Amino acid sequence: MEDQRTTRPPLWISETDEQGNRVRREVLEAAHRIWNRVLQHLRYAGQDVAPAAEILEAACHCVSRAIRRNLKRNSIRNLDSYLFWAFVRKHSRRMIREGRLQYVDSVESVANANIGAQHDWVSILENEIYLKQMLCYLDERTRDMLILRISGDSWAEIGERFGISAHNAEVQFANGAKKARSRLLRIGLAKLGREQQ
């Protein structure tokens, strides 16, 4: 039986949306470029990849409409990242709408699960919450670097994409993450101060 991590479902995207408008060629090309990244994202989150093509198709239609509406002031600098995050938002909304819950036998089975390099489910949950909070405070460039890094790109590949060296990419990412962490801590301390008053 083929391992789920090695299977790559095919991607077919309609060239016209539900209103009969043609989907822009660059959006279709971006969808094919990010397809592996989409699958990796879902598998990393322990989600089913079956609806991925359908959700990515809907994201393509939305992004294509957005580009068409704003042709004169098209400000999408990184179409691949923009489309990927459109997919993530659509997927998250769908999961919320469908009320997808993952049931387990017991807390012990979660704690004993071998998920990545983590040793217990509490630290996994804490890390996930922290990552989601951090994402809100990252600047766009640092967020794009993080997405590429999670997708498996090396620092050299990331540097090449941004026109800088691998070392500079690492340094810029570290500085961006440090600023986001400082903002997050400052806001957290301010909230804590208000609650104690």
Side-chain angles (χ1 to χ4, degrees):
M1 184 174 180
E2 202 168 7
D3 185 5
Q4 184 194 12
R5 281 164 290 193
T6 60
T7 59
R8 186 175 185 260
L11 176 65
W12 293 292
I13 295 178
S14 171
E15 293 189 4
T16 55
D17 65 17
E18 57 276 357
Q19 291 144 1
N21 300 315
R22 290 196 66 75
V23 178
R24 297 184 65 86
R25 172 73 36 211
E26 65 266 29
V27 175
L28 292 172
E29 290 168 357
H32 286 281
R33 283 194 302 271
I34 69 166
W35 183 229
N36 276 337
R37 192 163 144 194
V38 163
L39 296 174
Q40 286 175 348
H41 171 74
L42 294 178
R43 288 177 179 143
Y44 179 77
Q47 298 289 328
D48 183 14
V49 297
E54 177 189 345
I55 298 168
L56 183 56
E57 181 178 46
C60 284
H61 294 173
C62 287
V63 169
S64 185
R65 280 194 300 273
I67 291 173
R68 196 170 31 256
R69 275 194 308 269
N70 301 307
L71 259 182
K72 290 182 181 164
R73 55 185 182 88
N74 188 1
S75 60
I76 299 174
R77 288 181 289 190
N78 187 334
L79 183 58
D80 290 12
S81 290
Y82 187 86
L83 181 58
F84 176 76
W85 282 106
F87 166 83
V88 170
R89 282 190 301 274
K90 283 200 165 296
H91 180 263
S92 297
R93 287 185 190 133
R94 181 172 172 158
M95 293 298 104
I96 291 167
R97 194 172 59 245
E98 292 177 358
R100 293 273 176 96
L101 296 175
Q102 198 171 17
Y103 295 98
V104 292
D105 297 334
S106 65
V107 173
E108 289 79 24
S109 66
V110 174
N112 293 332
N114 184 15
I115 302 172
Q118 300 296 332
H119 298 293
D120 63 10
W121 66 273
V122 174
S123 62
I124 293 168
L125 184 60
E126 286 173 346
N127 287 341
E128 197 170 310
I129 291 168
Y130 183 66
L131 178 62
K132 285 179 182 174
Q133 288 175 329
M134 280 290 287
L135 282 173
C136 297
Y137 294 97
L138 289 174
D139 60 83
E140 185 181 351
R141 185 180 181 99
T142 307
R143 191 179 307 122
D144 288 343
M145 287 180 171
L146 176 63
I147 293 164
L148 292 168
R149 194 71 180 138
I150 290 171
S151 299
D153 288 14
S154 67
W155 285 115
E157 292 168 323
I158 293 169
E160 187 177 318
R161 189 174 280 220
F162 286 94
I164 55 178
S165 71
H167 177 72
N168 280 346
E170 266 188 279
V171 169
Q172 286 181 21
F173 176 79
N175 289 338
K178 189 187 285 184
K179 286 177 188 172
R181 186 174 185 275
S182 295
R183 278 185 229 124
L184 182 60
L185 288 172
R186 227 179 10 253
I187 288 168
L189 290 172
K191 279 183 184 176
L192 187 62
R194 284 194 303 268
E195 287 171 5
Q196 290 177 345
Q197 288 177 349

